[in-house]
């Protein structure tokens, strides 16, 4: 039985980190040919309607990069981030605005990517968990979650971190009550809440220093 | 993945009205937080989505020359929660806004959308062909109805999900509406449809009509207002029971009042009986207790929600008494 040597079997190619692979994959998906008709830029959706069979040409500002995309009107920002751009840090949860796993920042404010149509996100600055990195270094809020062990399974963690980041950008020195309210749109089924609260406190302190 | 729909985002109100009027299955998209949830859950299909998010001038919050306040329909719930003038002059509204949904949804949801949102009944949102969706019966009536209405039910037994609507009703808000026939003003008390008038409709807007702004009159001298909501869990949830109060006080006596309940009825429920019980009385434990009793005088609980009656009584009394402590 051939031994699974992991590294050699990896189809992602040598010299590429998993993250690097994903963003390369993302760049190609964005250019993949599409079957639907191509409509005008969504900015001109004012003048004409984009039918359900049409694809709209849009540009999204994601983590400081301009991403040109073809999208159907019904596609959520969540779907586009993950399935068109390979930014899989943003998680799929309930898809009805109840769990917070898909939290991203839009113009610096925490919002649910599942409840935002991609065509509605044009002209806004979108920040995902990938956008909090400093190169290969974790951002301060991410680092705080790591240090405080603020997760068990980790699935809700990117959303928790984005909610915390959003809260701290609006309110750099929140009280415990403000932290509880600020994090109330993110559920953690493992129940890591006490550690999550500690992590938000600690992230706030890191940012203030 | 949502079912397909066509999409347009007009830049003028006139165009938005035309687009909305042009197709029977067209729906407005403001923040989208309720609409997209309904489409996701298959509550109704939308052939066309008309986004009003690019319309200019619908986000402003502006003090009017008569001392009142104009709130653009696209104002987010978050703005209502944090606006200093609203907090100072209309605390009932900022307190209600703070109780809406989660931080993320408050950033995105708008006031116009909050007033026009669809009910949250689990049968209506679920795979049930209920009366409100065109079916024959209300499944809540003989089903799981612990969160359903105790007042104003007939044929359909939902509770109205909005926290801002009762607050605005307590403030005698009116709506500015634009439609194919031009502009009109509509008292908020005439927006929501009671099920005994039509169990399949939530709001009295005509085809192509869009709410552009919500207007509040100048607060009367001596106005005190508040909103309190009880919910099944602390993180976020719709009201199990809530009360919006607006009392005009004169030397400890109630000159005028509005008592509006959330989580009680299929529409935001103004309790004129409670208001009458307070009228002209000194605000004390006796008057507050009487008003609370009167608010529940017509209550007709269902099999699983009788707990709401004492809950509302306690809630209303407690909230009224807080105004004395002030
Ligand atoms: C998980 C969750 C929890 C929630 N909890 C609460 C809660 O506790 N309390 C509460 O009050 N609400 C709650 N909500 C509802 C939420 O506040 C509303 O979804 C939001 O306010 C709607 O605003 P929107 O701009 O996103 O509306 P949209 O989804 O864009 O629109 C909602 C409806 O209103 C119509 N509409 C929108 N704007 C206008 C207008 N200007 N004129 C005419 N029609 C219009 C649309 O056609 C649509 O039918 C919750 C929602 C979710 C998903």
């Amino acid at each position: 039985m051939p031994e699974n040597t992991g590294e050699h079997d990896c189809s992602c190619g040598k010299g590429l980190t998993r993250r690097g692979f994903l963003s390369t994959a993302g760049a190609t998906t964005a250019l993949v040919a599409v079957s639907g008709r191509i409509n005008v830029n969504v900015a001109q959706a004012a003048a004409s309607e984009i039918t359900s069979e049409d694809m709209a040409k849009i540009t999204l500002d994601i983590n400081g990069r301009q991403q040109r995309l073809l999208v159907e009107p019904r596609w959520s920002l969540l779907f586009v981030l993950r399935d068109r751009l390979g930014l899989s840090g943003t998680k799929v949860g309930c898809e009805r605005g109840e769990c917070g796993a898909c939290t991203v920042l839009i113009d610096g404010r925490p919002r649910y990517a599942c409840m935002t149509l991609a065509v509605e996100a044009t002209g806004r600055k979108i920040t995902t968990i990938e956008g909090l990195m400093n190169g290969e270094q974790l951002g301060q809020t991410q680092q705080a979650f790591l240090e405080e062990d603020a997760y068990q399974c980790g699935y809700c963690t990117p959303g928790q971190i984005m909610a915390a980041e959003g809260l701290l950008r609006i309110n750099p020195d929140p009280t415990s009550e403000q932290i509880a309210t600020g994090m109330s749109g993110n559920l953690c089924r493992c129940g890591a809440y006490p550690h999550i609260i500690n992590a938000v406190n600690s992230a706030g302190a890191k940012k203030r220093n | 993945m949502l079912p397909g729909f066509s999409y347009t985002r007009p830049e003028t109100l006139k165009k938005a009205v035309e687009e909305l009027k042009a197709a029977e299955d067209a729906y407005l998209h403001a923040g989208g937080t309720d609409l997209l949830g309904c489409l996701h859950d298959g509550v109704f299909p939308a052939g066309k989505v008309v986004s009003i998010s690019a319309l200019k001038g619908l986000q402003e919050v502006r003090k009017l020359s008569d001392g009142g306040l104009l709130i653009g329909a696209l104002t987010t719930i978050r703005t209502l929660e944090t606006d200093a003038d609203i907090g100072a002059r209309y605390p009932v509204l900022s307190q209600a806004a703070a109780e809406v949904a989660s931080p993320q949804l408050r950033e995105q949801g708008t006031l116009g959308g909050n007033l026009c949102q669809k009910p949250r009944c689990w049968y209506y949102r679920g795979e049930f062909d209920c009366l409100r969706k065109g079916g024959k019966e209300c499944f809540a009536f003989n089903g799981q109805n612990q969160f359903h209405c105790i007042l104003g039910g007939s044929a359909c037994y939902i509770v109205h999900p909005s926290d801002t609507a009762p607050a605005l009703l307590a403030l005698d808000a009116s709506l500015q509406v634009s439609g194919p026939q031009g502009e009109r003003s509509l008292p908020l008390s005439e927006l929501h449809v009671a099920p005994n008038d039509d169990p399949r409709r939530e709001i009295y807007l005509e085809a192509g009509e869009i709410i552009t702004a919500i207007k509040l009159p100048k607060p009367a001298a001596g106005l005190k207002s508040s909103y309190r909501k009880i919910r099944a869990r602390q993180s976020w949830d719709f009201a199990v029971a809530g009360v919006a109060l607006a009392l005009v006080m004169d030397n400890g006596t109630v000159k005028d009042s509005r008592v509006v309940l959330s989580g009680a009825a299929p529409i935001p429920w103004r309790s004129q009986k409670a208001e009458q019980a307070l009228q002209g009385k000194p605000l004390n434990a006796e008057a507050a207790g009487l008003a609370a009793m009167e608010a529940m005088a017509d209550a007709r609980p269902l099999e699983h929600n009788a707990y709401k009656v004492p809950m509302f009584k306690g809630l209303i009394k407690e909230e009224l008494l807080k105004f004395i402590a002030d």
Side-chain angles (χ1 to χ4, degrees):
Chain A
M1 202 190 191
E3 213 175 80
N4 187 346
T5 52
E7 216 178 287
H8 296 294
D9 287 351
C10 175
S11 61
C12 58
K14 279 183 203 154
L16 268 181
T17 61
R18 180 165 173 271
R19 186 169 299 111
F21 164 69
L22 286 175
S23 49
T24 319
T28 32
T29 351
L31 299 173
V32 148
V34 285
S35 55
R37 277 192 294 143
I38 297 172
N39 202 279
V40 286
N41 195 300
V42 78
Q44 288 137 34
S48 62
E49 183 173 320
I50 306 168
T51 75
S52 51
E53 285 87 45
D54 286 340
M55 301 289 283
K57 215 188 263 180
I58 63 169
T59 303
L60 295 181
D61 179 335
I62 300 167
N63 300 330
R65 281 172 65 181
Q66 303 296 316
Q67 302 278 5
R68 298 210 279 151
L69 294 147
L70 289 170
V71 300
E72 288 183 35
R74 64 175 169 157
W75 286 358
S76 67
L77 176 61
L78 175 61
F79 174 77
V80 167
L81 288 173
R82 293 179 54 87
D83 292 67
R84 298 283 120 182
L85 294 171
L87 293 168
S88 56
T90 307
K91 298 300 176 208
V92 181
C94 66
E95 290 193 90
R96 49 156 81 90
E98 296 181 359
C99 77
C102 68
T103 301
V104 297
L105 302 186
I106 298 187
D107 291 337
R109 304 298 190 131
R111 296 232 323 224
Y112 296 143
C114 75
M115 281 280 168
T116 305
L117 294 176
V119 286
E120 286 281 320
T122 56
R124 313 285 208 111
K125 284 194 179 321
I126 300 153
T127 310
T128 69
I129 186 86
E130 291 87 351
L132 297 190
M133 301 291 295
N134 295 318
E136 286 293 298
Q137 299 268 302
L138 294 180
Q140 285 167 317
T141 308
Q142 293 168 304
Q143 187 64 34
F145 271 69
L146 180 68
E147 286 167 8
E148 297 294 335
D149 195 17
Y151 41 75
Q152 272 184 44
C153 82
Y155 194 80
C156 72
T157 311
Q160 301 280 359
I161 292 175
M162 295 316 288
E165 179 74 21
L167 167 67
L168 294 170
R169 287 193 191 182
I170 298 166
N171 181 0
D173 195 3
T175 62
S176 313
E177 203 179 312
Q178 287 167 334
I179 293 177
T181 306
M183 300 302 291
S184 63
N186 294 72
L187 306 184
C188 169
R189 292 297 80 184
C190 303
Y193 297 112
H195 288 217
I196 290 172
I197 302 294
N198 291 346
V200 182
N201 264 318
S202 143
K206 280 183 198 292
K207 281 176 183 284
R208 289 191 300 275
N209 284 329
Chain B
M1 183 73 64
L2 296 174
F5 48 76
S6 71
Y7 171 86
T8 176
R9 188 166 58 187
E11 275 169 9
T12 65
L13 189 57
K14 192 163 166 276
K15 188 88 199 308
V17 168
E18 278 168 20
E19 291 280 3
L20 188 60
K21 179 83 202 289
E24 224 172 81
D25 59 352
Y27 282 84
L28 278 185
H29 174 298
T33 60
D34 186 54
L35 179 68
L36 301 184
C38 289
L39 298 182
H40 178 267
D41 290 346
V43 177
F44 52 81
K48 173 170 161 186
V49 169
V50 179
S51 170
I52 52 174
S53 66
L55 298 186
K56 307 264 174 338
L58 265 60
Q59 265 123 343
E60 62 172 355
V61 179
R62 177 162 55 90
K63 198 166 172 174
L64 298 167
S65 55
D66 64 5
L69 192 71
L70 183 126
I71 306 171
L74 289 178
T75 303
T76 63
I77 306 298
R78 164 85 185 166
T79 301
L80 300 177
E81 181 189 357
T82 53
D83 184 276
D85 182 43
I86 294 177
R89 298 201 298 150
Y90 308 101
V92 61
L93 181 55
S94 51
Q95 288 168 19
E99 294 284 341
V100 171
S102 64
Q104 289 92 329
L105 290 166
R106 292 196 288 277
E107 290 285 356
Q108 184 167 352
T110 68
L111 183 55
N114 192 271
L115 297 177
C116 299
Q117 62 177 302
K118 298 288 184 185
R120 284 281 159 178
C121 167
W122 41 41
Y123 296 105
Y124 174 79
R125 294 266 168 171
E127 289 168 2
F128 291 83
D129 186 24
C130 79
L131 183 68
R132 188 165 288 276
K133 285 194 290 193
K136 289 206 172 61
E137 61 177 307
C138 168
F139 293 92
F141 187 66
N142 289 313
Q144 291 298 317
N145 49 36
Q146 48 271 52
F147 298 127
H148 289 73
C149 73
I150 54 169
L151 285 161
S154 84
C156 165
Y157 293 82
I158 57 163
V159 289
H160 196 272
S162 170
D163 289 310
T164 64
L168 290 172
L169 267 181
L171 295 169
D172 286 335
S174 61
L175 307 173
Q176 250 171 251
V177 177
S178 270
Q181 257 74 55
E183 294 215 358
R184 66 177 175 126
S185 169
L186 178 74
L188 177 60
S189 56
E190 291 171 22
L191 178 69
H192 296 107
V193 183
N196 54 2
D197 292 327
D198 186 349
R200 301 202 165 119
R201 189 174 175 186
E202 290 81 32
I203 49 173
Y204 287 115
L205 288 184
E206 301 303 329
E209 283 195 321
I210 299 176
I211 299 171
T212 56
I214 293 87
K215 266 166 114 172
L216 299 180
K218 179 183 177 182
L223 177 73
K224 288 179 177 233
S225 73
S226 72
Y227 184 72
R228 171 134 170 246
K229 167 177 171 181
I230 297 174
R231 39 186 166 169
R233 55 175 187 182
Q234 199 55 40
S235 59
W236 61 261
D237 217 336
F238 291 89
V240 170
V243 61
L245 293 173
L247 267 58
V248 181
M249 299 297 295
D250 184 14
N251 262 326
T253 300
V254 182
K255 231 168 81 179
D256 194 12
S257 71
R258 293 287 180 275
V259 178
V260 189
L261 310 181
S262 55
I267 57 173
W269 190 259
R270 180 170 167 198
S271 175
Q272 271 156 325
K273 286 195 171 163
E275 293 169 10
Q276 277 154 19
L278 292 168
Q279 189 64 35
K281 303 266 176 59
L283 186 56
N284 53 31
E286 194 193 335
L290 187 64
M293 294 281 289
E294 284 296 311
M296 289 295 112
D298 297 329
R300 298 283 175 275
L302 302 165
E303 190 181 349
H304 305 292
N305 68 4
Y307 71 92
K308 284 195 179 188
V309 175
M311 185 181 258
F312 268 110
K313 284 183 187 164
L315 175 71
I316 296 167
K317 184 173 179 189
E318 229 176 78
E319 279 307 289
L320 282 167
L321 291 179
K322 280 188 193 161
F323 288 135
I324 309 180
D326 281 1

